[in-house]
Amino acid sequence: CALKCPRDVKQIEDMKALRRMASGYGVFPTAVKPVRGVSAGLTAEGNPFGESRKNRADWAKGLSVKTFEEGMEYLYFPGCYLCYDPRLKKVAQATASVLNKAGVDFGILGEQENCCGESIRKTGNEELFKKLAKENIKTFIDNGVKKILVNSPHCYHTFKNEYAEFGVNFEVIHISQFLFQLVNEGKLQISKEFGKKITYHDPCYLGRHNGVYDEPREVLKKIPGVDYTEMVEVREESLCCGMGGGRIWMETHAADRFANLRLNEAIGVGAEVLVTACPYCITMFEDSRAVLNYDDVIQIKDITEILQEVI
């Protein structure tokens, strides 16, 4: 881990460089071959699934979600998983519901959006990342976007830290930070109890890479009836779910899946609900829950889904 290296070795940058070399020579080991299909989908439709760009805003139908116009305060950028994945669409819908309840002035750009490009950059495809980033930046500027609200820590990290390489500087806010702000300002009133034992998993790109640890915890602790407990490995020591670094698109042998270890860690502290704030983490934990036959043992929730239930 770069945070622990006594010689300050930048392992992530080294791996990106190595993968750029490998992909440049067309070297794709068997476990990595799905990346080719992902690249094709990103090139053709702006999303890794190859789904129609025209369907990107389908998740918002019937939810009173407006199209972003210049002058609106926030662009809500759900990200690819929340727009297309059936499980994660529920997170986008919960987010929109919470924002509407709080009276937030926001809109979406729907089919004008591209993937942020973070994961494909980590696989070594720098050219495609730059294409996606430049198209997004042009779209944001053309529409007068100043503040961007995101669910994915990967979008958060990319918009905040990596798009700066192109000379732009948008104000980027993760939903967990925004929920904390809304609750503290009294714009979100928590009126119901959530009488379950819960624990919180720190996503790498929210916590370890960007230092957001306290806000999601403080929001959860404000919910009446919550029995909050911590796992052994938390904050800077949090165990990666295994989906970062572009591995979301690669095959991982069952015995090597960190998410299985993490789920057992959550169950070990008696948690009935494992809460997180990252679509990759939710995807991996839901997969592990099914594989390990834990459907009746523990639930996986995004922080926005919890808030939707108690306001």
Side-chain angles (χ1 to χ4, degrees):
C1 177
L3 289 181
K4 296 293 183 184
C5 182
R7 297 185 181 276
D8 198 30
V9 175
K10 308 294 185 187
Q11 291 97 332
I12 293 175
E13 295 305 313
D14 292 347
M15 287 305 301
K16 280 163 57 181
L18 185 62
R19 287 174 173 180
R20 281 198 296 271
M21 291 172 60
S23 59
Y25 284 108
V27 177
F28 291 94
T30 302
V32 184
K33 289 193 185 301
V35 171
R36 288 177 168 175
V38 168
S39 299
L42 288 167
T43 302
E45 297 289 349
N47 69 81
F49 312 109
E51 296 282 350
S52 173
R53 182 184 289 272
K54 293 180 179 178
N55 299 333
R56 194 171 178 103
D58 283 1
W59 65 268
K61 287 180 178 177
L63 296 178
S64 302
V65 175
K66 299 174 184 176
T67 299
F68 184 87
E69 295 178 352
E70 189 165 359
M72 284 185 173
E73 188 170 7
Y74 297 97
L75 168 67
Y76 172 44
F77 189 95
C80 299
Y81 257 84
L82 272 68
C83 289
Y84 293 106
D85 181 81
R87 168 64 184 92
L88 275 303
K89 281 182 183 180
K90 296 176 182 177
V91 176
Q93 290 159 353
T95 303
S97 175
V98 170
L99 295 178
N100 280 330
K101 189 85 170 178
V104 177
D105 181 27
F106 76 99
I108 62 172
L109 286 172
E111 63 182 88
Q112 296 183 63
E113 300 169 3
N114 276 324
C115 175
C116 71
E118 186 268 344
S119 289
I120 205 65
R121 186 182 213 186
K122 296 295 192 297
T123 70
N125 196 332
E126 186 72 11
E127 184 180 344
L128 182 50
F129 165 73
K130 288 180 177 178
K131 174 182 180 294
L132 295 166
K134 288 175 181 177
E135 288 178 3
N136 273 334
I137 290 168
K138 183 178 186 305
T139 298
F140 295 161
I141 292 173
D142 287 349
N143 284 277
V145 173
K146 292 182 173 62
K147 299 178 182 180
I148 308 174
L149 185 61
V150 298
N151 291 89
S152 172
H154 297 267
C155 295
Y156 178 77
H157 180 82
T158 306
F159 292 155
K160 184 171 183 272
N161 303 314
E162 299 191 355
Y163 278 23
E165 297 169 17
F166 300 91
V168 295
N169 185 23
F170 302 103
E171 183 178 345
V172 188
I173 308 152
H174 187 265
I175 189 64
S176 64
Q177 298 171 306
F178 200 55
L179 291 173
F180 177 74
Q181 178 185 326
L182 292 174
V183 170
N184 274 3
E185 292 175 353
K187 293 177 180 177
L188 265 185
Q189 299 292 329
I190 298 173
S191 58
K192 302 173 186 174
E193 290 193 0
F194 193 83
K196 293 182 179 179
K197 189 168 187 177
I198 69 172
T199 191
Y200 175 73
H201 165 79
D202 291 284
C204 295
Y205 273 87
L206 189 60
R208 185 174 288 118
H209 292 292
N210 286 289
V212 179
Y213 298 111
D214 296 324
E215 292 95 321
R217 287 177 167 82
E218 291 304 314
V219 170
L220 293 170
K221 289 175 183 178
K222 287 180 185 291
I223 300 172
V226 158
D227 181 1
Y228 184 86
T229 187
E230 291 280 14
M231 289 180 279
V232 176
E233 298 169 299
V234 296
R235 302 176 74 91
E236 293 89 347
E237 305 290 338
S238 179
L239 182 65
C240 174
C241 80
M243 294 283 261
R247 292 205 60 84
I248 189 170
W249 314 122
M250 305 175 195
E251 301 294 335
T252 303
H253 191 273
D256 297 329
R257 292 178 186 170
F258 288 3
N260 294 356
L261 301 175
R262 193 60 159 165
L263 213 53
N264 281 320
E265 190 176 339
I267 292 168
V269 297
E272 299 170 87
V273 183
L274 174 58
V275 184
T276 189
C278 174
Y280 291 3
C281 295
I282 289 176
T283 299
M284 201 63 193
F285 290 143
E286 291 283 20
D287 184 57
S288 286
R289 192 169 73 116
V291 169
L292 298 173
N293 295 315
Y294 284 164
D295 287 354
D296 298 325
V297 180
I298 193 167
Q299 291 179 298
I300 312 299
K301 295 276 189 182
D302 185 85
I303 190 169
T304 57
E305 295 178 301
I306 300 288
L307 262 292
Q308 184 189 32
E309 289 186 36
V310 298
I311 57 174

